[in-house]
Amino acid sequence: MSGKRRGWSDTTPLLGHQHHSPSYSTRNPHAVFLEMTSSSPISTPNPHRSVFLGVDVGTGSARAGLFDENGKLLGSTSSAIQIWKDGACVEQSSTDIWHAICAAVKAACSLAKVAPEEVKGLGFAATCSLVAVDSDGSPVSVSWSGDSRRNVIVWMDHRAVEQAERINSSNSPVLLYCGGALSPEMQPPKLLWVKENLQESWSMVFRWMDLSDWLSYRATGDDTRSLCTTVCKWTYLGHAHMQHNNDKDSRGMEACGWDDDFWEEIGLGDLVEGHHAKIGRSVAFPGHPLGSGLTPTAAKELGLVPGIPVGTSLIDAHAGGVGVMESVPPLDLVAREHDEEDICHRMALVCGTSTCHMAVSKNKLFIPGVWGPFWSAMIPEYWLTEGGQSATGALLDHIIENHVASPHLANQAAAQRISVFELMNKILETMMLEQNLPFVAALTQDIHVLPDFHGNRSPIADPKAKGVIYGLTLDTSEKQLALLYLAAVQGIAYGTRHIVEHCNAHGHKINTLLACGGLAKNPTFIQEHADIIGCPVILPRESESVLLGAAILGAVAARKYHSLSEAMKALNAAGKVIHPSKDPKVKKYHDAKYKIFRGLYEQQLSHRSVMAQALA
């Protein structure tokens, strides 16, 4: 999942149709997009200044951001990465990703006027994609095409639905810690698919790694894995490390949380061999310093100094959580200093191509259909609950791109020098006034969207779920597209409400949302979430929360802070707070639409049963 998303309106489509050609899109794949300029250029290195570098690899780009000791963003850049999509299969190249990172890091340092000597720590975050390399570290193909460059199965890849179903029928105890069932987006089903379909590749692979772990390995030569990646995506039982949490001097930790019986039972017993060498012999807490820091080779490629501390990685959504969870308003500062449970009332929404919903608790909470509880997978010593929606930004892009009014709308937006989303928000405001409606949301009283176009990740955990648009007409105008867009935004927010209510019904006490990522910059998206869920939404001071979370890993690895929690409190900061509407009519309206929203899935199940009987 990518917390920073480039919409269709400001770059090429996220998923290029490169089914038969390995060529790049018309855009230079390593073109660097400048996100921010430095406000205080410097000409010579300041050895006393500490700057922390965060790198985030999302679905469509690699990004680099530099932060000062107050968590203030000095500058960030983005470099596009290649992606192949063919049906359920979505693939990338780790070599291409590394080249994009190198371009982004060099450009970010130049843009922010930061000398290599000033960078005191580095952290990586990335989508939970699966990387395959051989004993030399060279890529091994995971593609039907046999193209060795295509050695990354992207997080959103759904080729392993059938393997996930078989694994879930095993009733292994490890399934209790991922909501009762593995998603095809997790790694065991994908690994089983490769073993069953690409035998030659399976025999060649020396290391299977989550993408963020591979980046840390590529930078340091240390293949220690993160508790975040292994626990959240590989069924590793992180709570096996409870007694090791205070072992500050350890360079790594022997893996003690693998369930060998599980791997044997699902047909992947060969991954247990060599003390789990292929999937992780050593596992450490996020931010733990790796190896001897940045290797000379990686330092030269990145334009940095060898030996810079590199922290154990995070999945990008979890880095967003680390970058935002302590972003509470100053008035709450005193209260939070003395209440370690206060953070347990918050849920972070990392809103990009997909959306991840992150909440923590001091006690483990088993919630059907929601991933977790994951011990120390995001914040050490807290259990993580992780909900999610597989298509949010991607869904909005899909709806806009496939509407006949889209090209004309894009031209209008370009002429006004605003985004398509800003233009549609203006159209909706005008429509509300023209129809004399009391609030914008009322425009969609006849249109309802179930946003499960890429399955339901949580809380239903149904990868076969389909999207629904109820209330279509023959109208092909821009106004109708704006209504579809608003209904889709509301559908996404109703899905978040479903997740929040479900988590609270199983022990959580969530009353505040903290939102980051590309979609969090859209005021309509945020206001609809506040109104529909009925709680305030806090936006961070720094919009690049995923990059900040990655940079915090570097700060912890550099020993600038004693713990990840301490670094979060020092470097997180709140920005704007959006409150739900006080108009009781707004609540009544959304309660009615939410009831219809829930009914759309129930109807889908009923219809699925009817058709299954007809084909029996």
Side-chain angles (χ1 to χ4, degrees):
M1 169 288 136
S2 173
K4 164 74 167 153
R5 187 182 64 86
R6 288 189 170 275
W8 74 281
S9 56
D10 58 9
T11 187
T12 50
L14 187 64
L15 300 177
H17 297 288
Q18 299 163 325
H19 299 190
H20 306 293
S21 171
S23 63
Y24 288 87
S25 65
T26 53
R27 183 184 293 280
N28 177 357
H30 295 139
V32 176
F33 306 98
L34 303 187
E35 308 287 356
M36 174 176 285
T37 56
S38 172
S39 58
S40 54
I42 59 171
S43 56
T44 56
N46 179 355
H48 301 296
R49 184 166 78 146
S50 291
V51 175
F52 306 114
L53 170 61
V55 171
D56 166 41
V57 177
T59 308
S61 65
R63 302 182 305 125
L66 294 145
F67 297 83
D68 66 17
E69 291 182 276
N70 296 312
K72 189 79 175 170
L73 180 64
L74 302 174
S76 67
T77 57
S78 174
S79 183
I81 54 179
Q82 185 179 15
I83 190 164
W84 292 269
K85 186 173 187 290
D86 191 357
C89 297
V90 189
E91 297 152 356
Q92 289 179 322
S93 160
S94 63
T95 302
D96 173 64
I97 289 169
W98 184 254
H99 288 161
I101 288 171
C102 293
V105 168
K106 289 175 181 176
C109 289
S110 174
L111 181 70
K113 303 294 191 294
V114 170
E117 295 81 4
E118 294 176 305
V119 178
K120 300 298 195 293
L122 165 62
F124 291 97
T127 62
C128 47
S129 301
L130 179 65
V131 182
V133 294
D134 65 16
S135 57
D136 296 324
S138 300
V140 177
S141 177
V142 292
S143 171
W144 281 121
S145 69
D147 185 343
S148 63
R149 292 175 301 169
R150 294 159 70 164
N151 71 316
V152 180
I153 301 180
V154 179
W155 66 271
M156 64 169 64
D157 183 290
H158 271 208
R159 70 182 70 184
V161 170
E162 190 266 331
Q163 283 76 13
E165 289 177 345
R166 272 192 279 137
I167 291 171
N168 290 333
S169 68
S170 71
N171 295 317
S172 169
V174 302
L175 299 180
L176 292 173
Y177 290 88
C178 50
L182 288 189
S183 162
E185 294 174 13
M186 292 179 176
Q187 309 306 11
K190 291 174 179 174
L191 290 165
L192 186 56
W193 184 93
V194 174
K195 183 175 183 179
E196 293 177 344
N197 292 278
L198 301 174
Q199 276 290 336
E200 184 177 354
S201 291
W202 183 259
S203 63
M204 290 173 61
V205 174
F206 186 75
R207 285 186 177 93
W208 292 103
M209 307 186 81
D210 237 73
L211 178 55
S212 60
D213 285 334
W214 180 81
L215 297 175
S216 299
Y217 166 65
R218 181 68 175 76
T220 66
D222 184 343
D223 76 344
T224 294
R225 317 300 170 95
S226 169
L227 271 174
C228 177
T229 57
T230 53
V231 171
C232 295
K233 303 301 171 187
W234 297 72
T235 72
Y236 190 83
L237 301 177
H239 44 285
H241 286 274
M242 279 184 169
Q243 69 274 24
H244 296 297
N245 194 31
N246 294 318
D247 184 10
K248 302 298 183 187
D249 297 323
S250 172
R251 280 286 175 181
M253 302 176 187
E254 183 179 348
C256 56
W258 294 117
D259 185 322
D260 293 352
D261 291 339
F262 166 74
W263 294 101
E264 294 282 359
E265 186 175 358
I266 68 172
L268 294 176
D270 38 346
L271 295 180
V272 172
E273 297 171 4
H275 300 291
H276 315 94
K278 290 186 177 182
I279 57 175
R281 289 181 292 187
S282 179
V283 179
F285 291 88
H288 201 82
L290 292 170
S292 300
L294 205 58
T295 65
T297 300
K300 183 177 180 180
E301 293 168 333
L302 293 165
L304 300 173
V305 176
I308 292 171
V310 178
T312 309
S313 67
L314 284 165
I315 297 167
D316 57 352
H318 303 64
V322 166
V324 79
M325 281 292 273
E326 289 287 2
S327 298
V328 296
L331 291 177
D332 296 338
L333 283 173
V334 176
R336 73 171 182 168
E337 285 295 329
H338 304 286
D339 183 8
E340 66 175 8
E341 294 285 343
D342 187 50
I343 196 172
C344 301
H345 300 311
R346 309 170 200 154
M347 174 177 275
L349 306 186
V350 187
C351 317
T353 303
S354 64
T355 294
C356 286
H357 304 68
M358 327 285 279
V360 297
S361 58
K362 292 301 289 184
N363 300 310
K364 57 183 175 183
L365 300 172
F366 293 96
I367 305 176
V370 177
W371 296 345
F374 300 140
W375 188 74
S376 290
M378 185 170 77
I379 303 173
E381 298 188 87
Y382 284 89
W383 292 89
L384 172 67
T385 292
E386 183 184 347
Q389 294 161 294
S390 293
T392 51
L395 172 61
L396 298 179
D397 284 349
H398 174 79
I399 285 175
I400 296 167
E401 288 169 4
N402 288 281
H403 195 278
V404 69
S406 180
H408 184 58
L409 199 71
N411 289 336
Q412 278 187 281
Q416 297 181 37
R417 296 189 175 183
I418 59 175
S419 73
V420 168
F421 299 103
E422 289 175 285
L423 178 57
M424 287 191 292
N425 292 344
K426 288 172 63 176
I427 291 172
L428 292 169
E429 288 285 344
T430 301
M431 292 173 67
M432 177 190 70
L433 296 173
E434 289 174 348
Q435 297 179 31
N436 197 29
L437 293 172
F439 45 88
V440 168
L443 287 164
T444 60
Q445 57 188 295
D446 295 324
I447 305 178
H448 309 280
V449 172
L450 184 69
D452 298 338
F453 284 52
H454 199 55
N456 183 284
R457 186 186 296 171
S458 55
I460 298 168
D462 180 0
K464 293 184 177 179
K466 301 294 187 288
V468 176
I469 300 177
Y470 177 97
L472 291 174
T473 71
L474 294 177
D475 187 350
T476 58
S477 68
E478 290 140 21
K479 288 184 176 180
Q480 184 63 19
L481 174 53
L483 290 178
L484 276 174
Y485 150 74
L486 177 58
V489 166
Q490 291 170 339
I492 292 166
Y494 295 131
T496 295
R497 174 171 168 175
H498 193 189
I499 291 168
V500 172
E501 289 183 353
H502 188 69
C503 288
N504 283 348
H506 287 83
H508 278 287
K509 297 178 181 178
I510 297 159
N511 58 24
T512 303
L513 302 180
L514 300 102
C516 65
L519 290 178
K521 300 172 185 177
N522 184 333
T524 297
F525 184 89
I526 295 301
Q527 188 64 59
E528 291 301 290
H529 273 72
D531 292 345
I532 286 168
I533 299 153
C535 62
V537 180
I538 302 173
L539 300 178
R541 180 193 67 193
E542 301 298 332
S543 61
E544 301 294 355
S545 298
V546 177
L547 285 175
L548 175 58
I552 285 173
L553 298 174
V556 175
R559 311 294 194 195
K560 295 293 182 180
Y561 299 94
H562 294 299
S563 68
L564 194 69
S565 295
E566 181 186 325
M568 289 169 61
K569 289 178 180 178
L571 300 177
N572 284 192
K576 189 175 181 181
V577 181
I578 292 84
H579 294 279
S581 171
K582 294 180 180 179
D583 185 347
K585 292 180 181 178
V586 173
K587 182 181 186 306
K588 183 178 180 181
Y589 176 82
H590 284 305
D591 285 347
K593 284 207 69 168
Y594 180 61
K595 185 176 181 180
I596 294 170
F597 166 85
R598 295 289 298 273
L600 290 176
Y601 180 74
E602 296 302 323
Q603 290 175 25
Q604 183 176 146
L605 280 184
S606 175
H607 297 164
R608 192 188 294 177
S609 175
V610 169
M611 297 312 300
Q613 291 176 26
L615 292 170

